Every structure is written in C-alpha cells, then in structure tokens.
C-alpha cells in the first residue's frame, strides 16, 4: 500500500509505539536507546508521568479559549519564563519557526522605528532557523532554500563565529538592525564557537556599539539542553530577543519569543497573533516542563554531558575524533562521512542523528542516568572504532 503522506521525509524503516525515559519501543517490541529525544524535544524523557498527568488533567479542565480573552495559565507561564530567563515579556506560538518569525518581525519594527526603510538582519552560514519562508531565508543552507525562491529579503549572511566579518558587514551596510544567531549551531552538527560562550559577549558588545538587537535562537539550545536553562546563561550577556521551542513542551507543540530592553515595547495590540499560541493546555504543559526541568534534569545534563564528552575523547581521541558542544548537546566529529552509522547503530539498538555527513549529533533526554550514559558511550564508541578501522584497511 502506498503511503498517503507527502514524501517530505526520507524516513527510516522503523516506527515506535511506546516510550519510557530514554527508551523507545518499536512495533515488534524491540527496545532502543534514544540519543535524539525527538530532536532535542523530550528533555524529561518519553512518556514522562508528570507531563502525562498535566496533559490529561488540563484536557479534562480546559483546552482552548483563544487570545481574545485573558488566559491565566499563559500569564503564569510568562512569569515562569521571565524568572528562568531574565527576559521581560513573552509571546507564545506553536513551533520554533513561529518564534523566529516573531523575532524577525520585531527586528523589522525596530528598524522602522529608527527610520530605516529596509532593515536587514545579520545571519550565519550553516545556521538553521526553520522552514517557513522568512525562516528558511534566514537559514544558512542552500539545500533548504532550493526551489523556494524568491526568498524573503533583508538578511545579510556572514561566516559563523567570525567577529571581523560582522564588523565588515556593519561598515558596508547601514541598514543592519539585528543579529540572529544560534549560541551553538544545532542542525549543522553541533558547531561550538571557538571561544565558547564568550562569543555571545562579543556579539553583545557589537550590538551595543551599533544599536542593534541581539536575537538568540535558543530553540534547540534552550530548556536545559546545555546544562543551564538557556545557553546564554553560560556567558555574561543578556540578549534583547530569545526564541525557544523544542524542549519547552517535552513534545507538546509550543514556542516562545522573549524580549527585553530595546525589543521590549515594539509589539502593540493587533501587530502579531496566532490562534493556538499559549492555550491553557499548552501553557500548563510548558509550566510543568519548566518546573520539572529545574528539579534536577538541567544539573544532570551538565553532569552527564561532561561524563559523555570526556569518555568519547578518551575512547576515540586517538582516531582523530573530536568532541564539541555543551551539556547534552554533543557533536562527535569523525574524520570521514559516517551517515551509514545511523543504520548500524539502529541495528545495535541505538537511535542517533548524523549531521553534515561526519557529525554524530547526540541530544539524549536530560534525565539520562549514569548507566544509560555509559551504555550510550560504549555502544557508539565500538561502532565508531569499527567503522574507522574499516576505512583504514580499505
Ligand atoms: C528546530 C529548530 C528550529 C525550527 O523549529 P520548528 O519547531 O521545527 O519550527 C529553528 N531554529 C533552531 C535552532 C532549531 O533547532
């Protein structure tokens, strides 16, 4: 029987029917260690009982009322995010791309307020910001843009992690009003700036000097993934705009755009909106997720991240394998393309992502324990060692 689905994904020949913590169970009842967490989404693990109860209880109470009315749970969620972020105000949507759309609109408004008729946003090579037209235009990946022109205007692309390139763009283009950047690039395979999070302090200084907005895409790095609630909390700087989604609902779709300082008072009534953003149900789930993340999983992500990264360096360093990232956002970079490891790992009961052909991108649930972390390292190290030794003999 042919599938009724548009073939937008080259799906692996496997499907899951049940999950528990870091484990997924397929239709045959086979168990897999999930190092993907649904692509950095299920930080609290699959079928987390506290989240399940929040969903069920709220579904029995009130699911949706619209943003025509006050939504008390959305107000509470805004306060919770303000407390964990140091930001001031929130707008809620349903995905990462929507959160970034809000940020892009804010940057343009900010520009127009300064009488810049065609405001431009600096974006990076190898970045990923989503699949809507504006966010794919911001994305630094030709494959994602191919076939969808004309792209949305108003983006200036520079190499990632290159302060001089930004200064050069500033000198050449008086229309720049903002920088949109991932603290650690995710989709392109966990690319960490060479000075780590000090990069964000450098970007903050540039934005202050030029009166630009610093807009951080923390859709993947946020919600505890790097061992702090937001990745910028490893730096000494606050952004003007932060977007997040993925881990915010542990699998329930919700995204947020957070603002402060120069970006705080740009949107007024009627200037932005969405039917579903911040429903009572979504807000309740995200509130519960934030509370649960702070009870241990974020600290655990820092600890287990160290343990896993250290072990990979020790096990595979002699083979030219390097490790980058922070917390449980770990890139294991091989000296040759390794997409075939996805299938081999799956046969060995491990789900993993390979990005940019040679980068194993590990994003396990933040609740992974020592035993599971060690199993992950042991299995992947063995696969990588065999794989690289084959290359040597060929
Ligand atoms: C996943 C992701 C997005 C897009 O989020 P969606 O929910 O898929 O729209 C944007 N930016 C980054 C950094 C992401 O990882």
């Amino acid at each position: 029987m042919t599938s009724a689905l548009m073939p937008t994904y080259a799906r692996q020949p496997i499907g899951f029917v049940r999950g528990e913590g870091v484990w997924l169970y397929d239709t045959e009842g086979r168990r897999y260690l999930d190092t993907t967490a649904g692509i950095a989404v299920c930080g609290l693990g699959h079928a987390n009982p506290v989240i399940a109860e929040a969903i069920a209880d709220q579904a029995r109470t009130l699911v949706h009322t619209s943003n025509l009315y006050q939504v008390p749970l959305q107000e509470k969620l805004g306060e919770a995010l303000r407390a964990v972020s140091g930001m001031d105000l929130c707008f809620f949507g349903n995905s990462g791309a929507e959160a970034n759309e809000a940020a892009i609109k804010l940057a343009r408004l900010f520009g127009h307020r300064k009488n810049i008729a065609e405001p431009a946003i600096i974006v990076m090579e190898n970045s990923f910001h989503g699949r809507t037209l504006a966010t794919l235009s911001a994305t630094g990946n030709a494959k994602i843009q191919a076939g969808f022109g004309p792209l949305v205007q108003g983006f200036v692309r520079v190499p990632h992690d290159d302060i001089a390139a930004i200064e050069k763009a500033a000198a050449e283009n008086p229309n720049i009003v903002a920088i949109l950047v991932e603290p650690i690039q995710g989709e392109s395979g966990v690319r960490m700036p060479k000075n780590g999070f000090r990069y964000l302090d450098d970007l903050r200084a540039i934005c202050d000097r030029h009166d630009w907005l610093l807009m951080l895409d923390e859709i993947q790095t946020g919600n505890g993934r790097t061992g702090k609630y937001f990745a910028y909390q490893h730096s000494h700087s606050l952004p003007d705009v932060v977007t997040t989604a993925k881990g915010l609902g542990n699998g329930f779709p919700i995204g947020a755009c957070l603002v402060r300082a120069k970006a705080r008072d740009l949107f007024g009534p009627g200037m932005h909106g969405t039917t579903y953003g911040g429903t009572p149900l979504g807000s309740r789930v995200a509130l519960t997720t934030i509370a649960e993340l702070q009870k241990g999983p974020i600290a655990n992500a820092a600890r287990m991240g160290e343990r896993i990264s250290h072990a990979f360096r020790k096990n595979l360093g002699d083979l030219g394998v390097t490790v980058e990232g922070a917390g449980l956002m770990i890139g294991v970079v091989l000296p040759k393309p390794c997409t075939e490891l996805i299938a081999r790992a799956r046969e060995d009961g491990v789900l993993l992502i390979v990005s940019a052909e040679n980068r194993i991108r590990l994003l396990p649930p933040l609740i992974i324990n020592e035993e599971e972390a060690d199993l992950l390292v042991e299995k992947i190290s063995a696969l990588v060692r065999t794989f690289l030794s084959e290359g040597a003999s060929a």
Side-chain angles (χ1 to χ4, degrees):
M1 203 169 35
T2 59
S3 172
L5 307 180
M6 289 194 203
T8 53
Y9 297 94
R11 295 176 199 268
Q12 296 176 43
I14 189 173
F16 304 103
V17 292
R18 188 166 74 80
E20 190 179 352
V22 301
W23 302 97
L24 281 174
Y25 295 81
D26 71 8
T27 44
E28 318 286 297
R30 228 191 128 196
R31 180 171 99 142
Y32 297 81
L33 179 62
D34 181 13
T35 77
T36 78
I39 319 189
V41 167
C42 305
L44 297 171
H46 295 289
N48 180 291
V50 180
I51 298 299
E53 181 49 34
I55 293 173
D57 183 61
Q58 191 60 39
R60 284 188 296 262
T61 309
L62 187 65
V63 172
H64 174 82
T65 56
S66 91
N67 287 307
L68 295 176
Y69 310 104
Q70 316 237 332
V71 183
L73 281 164
Q74 190 183 131
E75 296 282 347
K76 275 180 107 174
L77 175 59
E79 280 163 29
L81 270 176
R82 176 189 271 167
V84 292
S85 68
M87 303 295 286
D88 268 347
L89 304 176
C90 306
F91 175 86
F92 294 104
N94 315 285
S95 67
E98 279 175 79
N100 281 341
E101 288 277 346
I104 292 164
K105 285 176 74 171
L106 285 167
R108 287 186 167 194
L109 268 180
F110 177 70
H112 292 303
R113 297 272 160 93
K114 298 204 294 179
N115 290 320
I116 295 175
E118 303 211 348
I121 301 169
I122 290 190
V123 290
M124 306 300 158
E125 288 174 6
N126 294 315
S127 62
F128 182 79
H129 298 296
R131 299 284 198 151
T132 61
L133 274 172
T135 58
L136 77 80
S137 300
T139 290
N141 181 336
K143 266 194 219 159
I144 284 174
Q145 298 173 338
F148 302 114
L151 299 180
V152 173
Q153 297 178 10
F155 296 104
V156 173
R157 194 165 310 284
V158 299
H160 181 49
D161 193 16
D162 185 341
I163 296 294
I166 295 176
E167 290 293 10
K168 185 159 171 282
E172 287 167 4
N173 190 335
N175 290 335
I176 294 167
V177 296
I179 298 177
L180 173 64
V181 61
E182 298 157 85
I184 304 173
Q185 292 189 325
E187 292 304 296
S188 61
V190 191
R191 291 174 199 256
M192 184 80 180
K194 52 191 170 310
N195 290 332
F197 295 108
R198 271 184 295 163
Y199 178 52
L200 300 179
D201 297 323
D202 295 341
L203 294 179
R204 180 71 271 175
I206 292 183
C207 287
D208 288 343
R209 201 154 358 102
H210 294 284
D211 190 32
W212 296 344
L213 300 180
L214 177 58
M215 310 203 297
L216 298 183
D217 179 342
E218 293 237 23
I219 289 162
Q220 187 155 160
T221 52
N223 307 295
R225 181 52 53 192
T226 70
K228 302 251 188 209
Y229 198 93
F230 284 109
Y232 64 79
Q233 291 163 337
H234 293 280
S235 80
H236 300 287
S237 306
L238 281 175
D240 301 293
V241 180
V242 187
T243 56
T244 195
K246 293 203 165 89
L248 182 58
N250 210 57
F252 191 92
I254 183 165
C257 178
L258 283 54
V259 293
R260 60 176 278 281
K262 285 181 286 189
R264 186 183 187 278
D265 297 313
L266 293 167
F267 276 154
M271 296 175 78
H272 197 44
T274 157
T275 301
Y276 287 130
T279 60
L281 178 57
S283 299
R284 171 84 181 269
V285 178
L287 262 172
T288 311
T289 302
I290 293 170
E292 290 300 303
L293 282 170
Q294 291 178 287
K295 288 180 187 166
I298 299 177
N300 188 63
R303 224 169 28 242
M304 289 303 114
E306 277 295 311
R307 186 182 182 96
I308 292 171
S309 297
H310 176 80
F312 276 124
R313 285 192 186 104
K314 186 160 144 265
N315 290 354
L316 300 172
D318 63 313
L319 297 174
V321 172
T322 59
V323 181
E324 49 189 298
L328 287 173
M329 182 167 180
I330 301 171
V332 179
V333 186
L334 271 59
K336 67 172 193 186
C338 62
T339 25
E340 63 195 87
L341 283 180
I342 297 171
R344 291 199 200 179
R346 191 173 66 231
E347 280 152 29
D348 197 27
V350 179
L351 303 174
L352 53 80
I353 300 173
V354 173
S355 302
E357 303 206 320
N358 71 327
R359 293 171 163 259
I360 300 174
R361 178 160 62 121
L362 300 169
L363 305 159
L366 310 184
I367 47 123
I368 191 168
N369 65 30
E370 284 186 6
E371 201 185 321
E372 292 157 346
D374 293 349
L375 182 68
L376 177 160
V377 169
E378 191 188 305
K379 287 201 173 236
I380 294 174
S381 295
L383 282 165
V384 168
R385 194 160 272 284
T386 307
F387 175 70
L388 291 178
S389 69
E390 290 164 3
S393 61

